[in-house]
Every structure is written in C-alpha cells, then in structure tokens.
C-alpha cells in the first residue's frame, strides 16, 4: 500500500500540472483573442468569462468530428449570457463567413479558441464551487 507521503507527492504533482496547464492555456487564449479580433466585441479579456457558455456554429466541436465544417453553414463564435430579466441570450462574438471559404489553419484557431475558453471557464467554475463549499462549511461551525 502507498504511504501517505507518496500519495501526497502524487497529489502535489497533479496540482502543479493543472496550474502549468492553466497558465499555458490562458497565454494561448489571450493570443487567439487578439488574432481572431474578439477584442472588437469584448474589450476586456477577463469579461469573456462573464459569459455562461460559448459555442461555435458551422463547425463541429464534438470529439469525433472536431473541426469538421458543416457544408453550407456560416462560422460564428456565439456567447451565451444572462440578461437583466435573467433570461439566457446569445451574442455573436465574431462572424467568419461561409464555412467552406475559411482557411483551414484559421479554422483551427477558431476551434482552439472556443476549446481553450471552455477549459479556462471550467477552472473558474471549479473555483466558484470551491468557494460555495467553503461558505457552507463555515456556516456549520
């Protein structure tokens, strides 16, 4: 059976690897944010994470067909937010034109941006829920 020290060491290595992944992801996401000109719609990079979700139309994000274009469709990055009435609304962050006409390398950057945004959003959600648990635990004392 593993010793407590060995388990602690593996856990520490895992935490460090997540932090390295997150730092690298954020740097690449910021670069894509500029390259894809998302800044035109959302001036403050951190405001990107105020959106509840982000989707991509005209291109598949499923694992089996990642990056596969949908013939006859238009490529758009769509963000979802809650409006003042607490209803979910869509906003077009960026329109790229007809799927068949978008350069493959550029298309890959579009897909990468959405996937990297989702990864960072998952980290932020984890922090949010960790804070909620902390509030619950503090309330029990």
């Amino acid at each position: 059976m593993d010793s407590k020290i060995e388990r602690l060491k593996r856990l520490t290595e895992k935490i460090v690897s997540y932090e390295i992944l997150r730092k690298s992801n954020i740097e690449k996401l910021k670069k894509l944010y500029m390259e894809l000109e998302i800044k035109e719609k959302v001036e403050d990079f951190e405001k990107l994470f105020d959106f509840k979700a982000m989707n991509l139309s005209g291109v598949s994000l499923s694992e089996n067909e990642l990056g596969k274009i949908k013939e006859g469709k238009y490529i758009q990055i769509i963000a979802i937010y809650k409006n003042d009435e607490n209803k979910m609304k869509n906003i077009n962050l960026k329109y790229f034109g007809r799927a068949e006409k978008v350069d493959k390398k550029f298309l890959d950057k579009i897909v990468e941006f959405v996937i990297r945004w989702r990864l960072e959003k998952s980290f932020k959600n984890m922090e949010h829920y960790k804070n909620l648990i902390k509030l619950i635990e503090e309330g029990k004392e």
Side-chain angles (χ1 to χ4, degrees):
M1 198 164 245
D2 290 338
S3 73
K4 290 180 182 179
I5 292 174
E6 289 172 357
R7 287 188 303 221
L8 182 60
K9 182 180 176 185
R10 282 196 305 274
L11 180 61
T12 303
E13 287 171 356
K14 194 174 201 177
I15 291 169
V16 168
S17 71
Y18 280 135
E19 284 305 312
I20 291 169
L21 169 65
R22 188 172 186 188
K23 184 178 179 184
S24 171
N25 186 61
I26 259 308
E27 288 173 9
K28 291 176 183 176
L29 185 60
K30 283 180 181 177
K31 182 179 176 190
L32 290 166
Y33 164 80
M34 297 303 287
E35 283 182 48
L36 299 176
E37 299 176 349
I38 306 297
K39 187 174 176 61
E40 291 177 5
K41 198 77 163 208
V42 180
E43 291 181 18
D44 180 6
F45 177 78
E46 282 302 316
K47 294 282 185 195
L48 279 176
F49 303 104
D50 291 347
F51 296 115
K52 299 296 177 194
M54 190 175 290
N55 291 316
L56 186 57
S57 68
V59 181
S60 176
L61 291 176
S62 69
E63 189 173 346
N64 296 336
E65 296 185 328
L66 187 64
K68 183 177 178 186
I69 63 167
K70 298 173 185 176
E71 297 289 328
K73 300 289 182 181
Y74 296 89
I75 298 175
Q76 299 177 73
I77 297 175
I78 300 178
I80 301 162
Y81 68 98
K82 269 190 188 173
N83 68 7
D84 293 336
E85 295 91 38
N86 253 355
K87 292 182 182 179
M88 299 306 257
K89 294 285 188 176
N90 292 344
I91 182 173
N92 178 3
L93 287 186
K94 190 69 180 182
Y95 172 79
F96 299 99
R98 211 165 167 87
E100 300 87 13
K101 295 185 178 183
V102 175
D103 177 73
K104 174 68 173 129
K105 286 182 181 182
F106 194 72
L107 177 65
D108 290 344
K109 289 180 181 187
I110 297 167
V111 170
E112 182 181 358
F113 174 81
V114 175
I115 298 298
R116 288 191 179 283
W117 179 89
R118 289 179 174 183
L119 177 59
E120 179 57 22
K121 185 69 173 180
S122 70
F123 280 119
K124 289 186 182 295
N125 284 338
M126 185 174 62
E127 289 173 3
H128 168 73
Y129 288 110
K130 186 176 81 174
N131 291 337
L132 290 178
I133 294 295
K134 185 178 177 184
L135 288 174
I136 290 169
E137 290 174 342
E138 287 173 354
K140 291 180 181 179
E141 294 174 7

